[in-house]
């Protein structure tokens, strides 16, 4: 189990929601926070070029309710990574993370993401530069290897390098990435999972924070890995079935409060939705992250249909969410109220 000397910051990232492009924006994170007070939330990957030259408020702005929150950066120039890290720290992020896992053509051409598995010394230089620039934790998220690399050697070299440079944690997506021949989507499914490789890495670094990512679908499946590893990072399962997060505080953080139900989460989120609507944010931009909330429950199809069809209409407001919530089975409402 995780012990205090292996915690790398004031928050305890036994559970985190993975950074996912076009998904984990500020509205997604605000919704996820209604379900779990303690889960560590990540931004989408933001490139150093965008941070340095772009609209920083648009790229990095977030609500205070989202803490604890980490900013994931894409880049490989140590100086640019340091500047971007300082910017993230100034915005109030609790952690900054280096992307060494994304396999898209875009990141390869920019010399960041999964291709950096081939350059552990460069990643270490980025870690060192960032550690000098900020007081918040600097972490790395990587694969177990790319292309024809031997995962035993490749992951060890990466871990050796970044921990020697002062990295506070290493999150490992337990698949290889194939930079040629597979699309980013295929790279999330086709390369086989190898959780054993991550467990073996932990044996080499018993006092370092090492977290597991990749293919985790349920807390029942994943929680046993915390007997050895320090954290669990859920991606698509957390997004498509977000009610998983409602159990996290009790099961992984020892909270004495009852699990947050889907019904209660929607009610708690209404204030945020109302505030954002008053600022001109379109309802659909927020509710698209809520579609999977009642997955597998009576009325889930109606919930998704109403939010999908009616939230895009001009002037759509909270009445759409109320209507969608009313379409969920009354029996389900009663069951949740009794929990």
């Amino acid at each position: 189990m995780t012990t205090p000397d292996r915690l790398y910051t004031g928050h305890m990232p036994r559970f985190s929601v993975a950074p996912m492009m076009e998904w984990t924006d500020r509205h997604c994170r605000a919704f996820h926070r209604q379900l779990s007070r303690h889960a560590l939330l990540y931004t989408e990957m933001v490139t150093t070029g965008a941070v340095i030259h772009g609209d920083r408020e648009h790229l990095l702005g977030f609500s205070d309710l989202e803490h604890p929150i980490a900013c994931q950066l894409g880049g490989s120039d140590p100086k640019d990574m340091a500047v971007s890290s300082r910017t993230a720290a100034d915005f109030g992020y609790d952690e900054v993370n280096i992307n060494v896992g994304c396999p898209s053509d875009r990141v390869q051409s920019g010399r960041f993401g999964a291709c950096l598995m081939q350059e552990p010394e460069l990643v270490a230089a980025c870690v060192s530069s960032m550690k000098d620039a900020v007081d918040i934790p600097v972490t790395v998220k990587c694969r177990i290897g790319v292309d024809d690399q031997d995962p035993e050697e490749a992951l060890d070299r990466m871990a050796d390098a970044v921990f020697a440079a002062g990295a506070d944690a290493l999150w490992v997506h337990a698949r290889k990435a194939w930079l040629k021949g597979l699309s980013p989507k295929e790279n999330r499914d086709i390369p086989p999972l190898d959780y054993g490789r991550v467990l073996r890495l932990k044996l080499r670094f018993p006092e370092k924070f090492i977290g597991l990512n990749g293919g985790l679908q349920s807390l029942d499946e994943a929680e046993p890995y915390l007997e050895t590893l320090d954290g669990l990072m859920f991606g698509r399962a957390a997004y498509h079935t977000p009610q998983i997060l409602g159990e996290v505080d009790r099961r992984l953080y020892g909270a004495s409060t009852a699990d947050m139900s889907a019904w209660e989460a929607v009610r708690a989120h209404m204030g945020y939705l109302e505030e954002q609507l008053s600022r001109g944010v379109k309802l659909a931009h927020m509710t698209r992250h809520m579609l999977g909330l009642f997955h597998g429950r009576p009325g889930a199809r109606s919930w998704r249909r109403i939010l999908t069809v009616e939230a895009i209409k001009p002037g759509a407001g909270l009445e759409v969410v109320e209507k969608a919530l009313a379409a969920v089975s009354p029996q389900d409402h009663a069951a949740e109220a009794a929990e």
Side-chain angles (χ1 to χ4, degrees), residues 7 9 108 261:
L7 301 180
T9 183
Q108 291 181 57
S261 73

Side-chain angles (χ1 to χ4, degrees), residues 87-200:
T87 302
D90 289 345
F91 264 79
Y93 282 92
D94 300 296
E95 173 188 320
V96 63
N97 176 270
I98 306 174
N99 184 321
V100 189
C102 182
S104 74
D105 292 339
R106 174 177 170 239
V107 301
Q108 291 181 57
S109 64
R111 198 185 177 195
F112 58 95
C115 64
L116 288 176
M117 288 299 298
Q118 300 167 327
E119 300 185 79
E121 294 78 13
L122 179 57
V123 179
C126 290
V127 169
S128 180
S129 183
M130 295 160 71
K131 291 288 291 183
D132 288 342
V134 300
D135 294 326
I136 59 176
V138 174
T139 68
V140 177
K141 183 173 184 290
C142 71
R143 295 279 184 136
I144 62 174
V146 295
D147 297 339
D148 293 324
Q149 283 185 322
D150 177 356
E152 298 296 327
E153 178 183 357
L155 187 56
D156 276 351
R157 286 185 61 207
M158 181 59 66
D160 287 340
V162 300
F163 282 137
D168 295 286
L170 183 63
W171 292 96
V172 184
H173 184 156
R175 303 181 197 267
K176 267 191 174 184
W178 289 92
L179 303 179
K180 297 180 180 178
L182 293 181
S183 69
K185 181 179 184 301
E186 290 170 329
N187 263 301
R188 292 192 293 268
D189 295 302
I190 293 177
L193 287 161
D194 188 353
Y195 296 151
R197 178 64 191 95
V198 186
L199 294 171
R200 290 193 297 278

Side-chain angles (χ1 to χ4, degrees), residues 232-245:
L232 304 171
M233 179 180 281
F234 277 48
R236 285 168 290 170
Y239 188 86
H240 292 305
T241 54
Q243 60 266 35
I244 289 173
L245 277 72

Side-chain angles (χ1 to χ4, degrees), residues 30-72:
F31 171 56
H32 284 174
R33 182 57 69 213
Q34 305 298 347
L35 289 152
S36 169
R37 291 182 56 196
H38 300 298
L40 175 61
L41 304 179
Y42 276 80
T43 67
E44 304 168 83
M45 181 191 68
V46 186
T47 66
T48 55
V51 172
I52 294 170
H53 303 293
D55 182 344
R56 294 178 178 180
E57 180 58 41
H58 174 72
L59 292 166
L60 298 177
F62 65 94
S63 302
D64 286 343
L65 65 85
E66 295 174 45
H67 289 291
I69 179 172
C71 177
Q72 187 183 64

